[in-house]
Amino acid sequence: MLTLNKIKPAPGAYKSSKRVGRGQGSGTGCTAGHGNNGHNARSGPSFKPYFEGGQIPLTRRVPKVGFHNPFKKQYQIVNTGALEKIGNDGDEITPEVLRKKGLIHEADLPVKILGVGELSKSLIVKVHAFSNSAKEKIEKAKGKAEVVGSA
């Protein structure tokens, strides 16, 4: 009968680990398999992934170009043509509404309306930024373009 105390792994499935540094007679005494000298014989040997044996590493040989501004404001873009499709006359369009309609991914991130496409419905649009052409198109359709928050 099979019981938990009789379960054993298949023969040869497990191999006992080599015990290093246990005296000369063990075969791995003295230097414990690390050789006589050098970087890897020391305690805690660690080469950086980019180490190339003392040669100037690739990260230093390749020229660096450009600049990344960590303070740049990244807007989620929505065009006026898309507002035409989702809203009716007098509707209030906010980032939450745009998120529910699937035009932006995050309601918390700043939104900017651009003037691509036509707009015929009078909408009240409350977002973080507008392009000049988008603002003109919204006001031309008798809507309101209001800037909310500071993005």
Side-chain angles (χ1 to χ4, degrees), residues 81-128:
L83 296 179
E84 174 77 25
K85 295 175 187 171
I86 65 160
N88 297 320
D89 282 335
D91 279 359
E92 188 172 289
I93 306 293
T94 61
E96 290 78 23
V97 173
L98 294 172
R99 170 69 187 96
K100 285 178 187 169
K101 298 288 185 175
L103 292 176
I104 60 173
H105 293 292
E106 299 288 330
D108 301 338
L109 297 177
V111 178
K112 184 171 185 174
I113 306 293
L114 299 183
V116 178
E118 294 302 316
L119 184 65
S120 61
K121 300 172 183 173
S122 62
L123 301 171
I124 301 163
V125 186
K126 295 182 178 181
V127 293
H128 303 93

Side-chain angles (χ1 to χ4, degrees), residues 17-76:
S17 61
K18 187 185 285 190
R19 298 183 71 221
V20 295
R22 293 296 183 273
Q24 296 289 63
S26 69
T28 56
C30 190
T31 57
H34 281 268
N36 288 328
N37 263 326
H39 183 82
N40 286 325
R42 312 296 182 204
S43 66
S46 61
F47 282 106
K48 299 282 190 279
Y50 51 83
F51 184 69
E52 298 183 24
Q55 172 176 297
I56 296 289
L58 183 69
T59 52
R60 289 183 59 195
R61 288 190 307 240
V62 175
K64 309 296 179 281
V65 219
F67 170 73
H68 172 72
N69 183 359
F71 304 108
K72 182 181 178 182
K73 290 176 185 162
Q74 290 286 79
Y75 287 101
Q76 300 179 90

Side-chain angles (χ1 to χ4, degrees), residues 125-144:
V125 186
K126 295 182 178 181
V127 293
H128 303 93
F130 296 90
S131 69
N132 289 336
S133 61
K135 202 168 200 177
E136 287 172 11
K137 286 182 182 183
I138 292 169
E139 289 169 356
K140 187 178 175 183
K142 300 197 176 21
K144 287 184 184 176

